[in-house]
Amino acid sequence: MLASSAVGHAAPQLTQEIPIPGATRWDYVTADTRAHRVYVAHMDRVEVIDARTHQPVLQLSPTPGVHGAAPAPDLNRVFTSNGSSDSMGVFDMTTGQLLETVKVGKKPDAIIYDSLTQRVFTFNGKSNDVTAVDAVTLKVLAASIPAGGVPEFAVANGKGQVYFNIEDTAQMAVLDTRSMSITSHYSLAPCDEPSGLAMDPQERLYSVCRNAIMVISDPSRGVVMGQVPIGKGADGAAWMDGFAYSPNGLDGTLTVVKEGPPGQFVGVTTPSAQGARTIVADPELHELYSPTADFKEPGDKDHLKRPAAVPDTFKLLVISSPR
């Protein structure tokens, strides 16, 4: 990878590839930064990787059509969004044992655990709503909170708010975890079809968009603060060490974004790996993790069509951030 002098630091470096057996289909990757574990949603299972040793330590299964996992360390549980069965899986964090399956909305995609209320929220892409579940009793508290469109990735601030992209209307939605209601929406224009989302310590939000830009917004004011060009095919975003990251899967690049003068954002795009479109960070270890595979041929960048993967080549990239 090339030096990123324009954003004030050296580019992140690919330091390791962790092979993961099984099908070459995946979606979100999430992290428990206290336990330094990475959760890789992987078709019908979730692979759990120890971020310190870079070794697989657990597998959560069955998770039919899983899109994401939400660890709840205070409850020793992990929750999964099972898109093929319209359900949420509940697993023991230590043993990986399936404890319960809870029915939620149609095609749950993103999933978030809110430690403040001890509630889990699934963001359901086909029913255009959010389901709220008590993470302790596993009782459904709100079966269908209208999202106002197709919900995508979500982040929680730990203070009672969850922010999530709405893909088809290019908006940001704000969910109050106490009242279990949507309190506001605001436009992310000029973003088209926002998917991946990250949040910085100031609670500014970084949405990656189908039209190859990242928009930065302030939910406290409900406004877009800036935009930065990225590559094509991003489906995730991360924040670490003062930078936002966009993994551009179709282009095989990684865009690093930093604020220059207040309210002005700049980015540098460097080579990464084709297919690496989702990402998560462990700030204490100063590492990023992005799943991908090897591919038979390039994807169609004009139509954002993902390429066909070579069987048995699924892997997790470990990318170190210079400090």
Side-chain angles (χ1 to χ4, degrees):
M1 295 186 179
L2 304 175
S4 299
S5 57
V7 293
H9 81 146
Q13 300 291 320
L14 176 62
T15 56
Q16 190 172 344
E17 297 181 358
I18 303 170
I20 299 177
T24 51
R25 292 184 62 185
W26 68 92
D27 201 352
Y28 297 128
V29 54
T30 53
D32 175 357
T33 56
R34 288 198 290 182
H36 301 297
R37 285 189 167 188
V38 180
Y39 294 82
V40 186
H42 186 209
M43 194 170 176
D44 60 355
R45 70 200 75 169
V46 174
E47 303 286 350
V48 187
I49 308 295
D50 187 320
R52 292 161 297 194
T53 65
H54 297 162
Q55 295 296 318
V57 292
L58 208 60
Q59 187 180 96
L60 311 180
S61 181
T63 58
V66 65
H67 288 279
D74 55 326
L75 301 177
N76 197 45
R77 290 177 172 178
V78 182
F79 303 92
T80 64
S81 54
N82 304 331
S84 296
S85 60
D86 299 338
S87 69
M88 181 184 78
V90 186
F91 292 85
D92 184 286
M93 181 176 280
T94 303
T95 66
Q97 178 184 356
L98 177 64
L99 303 175
E100 188 65 74
T101 300
V102 180
K103 201 70 175 176
V104 295
K106 294 181 179 179
K107 198 178 179 182
D109 187 28
I111 184 168
I112 283 285
Y113 172 66
D114 178 55
S115 59
L116 180 71
T117 58
Q118 292 190 316
R119 292 170 178 170
V120 188
F121 297 86
T122 66
F123 298 81
N124 311 310
K126 193 171 182 179
S127 50
N128 292 2
D129 57 11
V130 182
T131 300
V133 180
D134 186 307
V136 178
T137 66
L138 304 183
K139 177 183 178 182
V140 175
L141 302 175
S144 179
I145 305 167
V150 179
E152 254 289 349
F153 200 76
V155 295
N157 68 359
K159 305 171 187 176
Q161 285 80 40
V162 170
Y163 307 111
F164 63 96
N165 289 324
I166 300 182
E167 186 176 30
D168 56 334
T169 63
Q171 291 183 312
M172 183 67 66
V174 182
L175 169 69
D176 186 299
T177 63
R178 297 179 183 89
S179 65
M180 297 179 291
S181 63
I182 307 298
T183 58
S184 65
H185 294 87
Y186 63 88
S187 173
L188 293 177
C191 176
D192 181 24
E193 296 186 23
S195 54
L197 179 65
M199 181 173 64
D200 70 16
Q202 299 178 58
E203 292 189 25
R204 297 178 301 187
L205 303 173
Y206 300 76
S207 301
V208 296
C209 311
R210 184 181 176 91
N211 54 331
I213 62 171
M214 173 187 282
V215 296
I216 301 93
S217 68
D218 179 354
S220 68
R221 296 182 292 146
V223 297
V224 169
M225 301 173 58
Q227 66 181 74
V228 177
I230 58 174
K232 293 182 178 180
D235 194 29
W239 171 269
M240 184 176 69
D241 294 337
F243 301 90
Y245 297 87
S246 170
N248 314 311
L250 274 176
D251 284 349
T253 61
L254 181 70
T255 301
V256 185
V257 175
K258 181 178 175 60
E259 185 177 17
Q264 297 181 30
F265 298 86
V266 294
V268 169
T269 297
T270 64
S272 177
Q274 188 180 24
R277 64 181 185 269
T278 56
I279 196 167
V280 75
D282 188 321
E284 187 175 317
L285 299 180
H286 304 280
E287 288 183 338
L288 300 155
Y289 309 93
S290 186
T292 191
D294 297 335
F295 297 93
K296 298 176 182 178
E297 57 187 25
D300 185 341
K301 295 182 182 180
D302 290 335
H303 297 90
L304 298 186
K305 182 179 179 181
R306 293 172 182 167
V310 177
D312 301 316
T313 62
F314 187 51
K315 55 193 171 185
L316 184 68
L317 307 181
V318 182
I319 304 167
S320 295
S321 173
R323 285 168 277 170

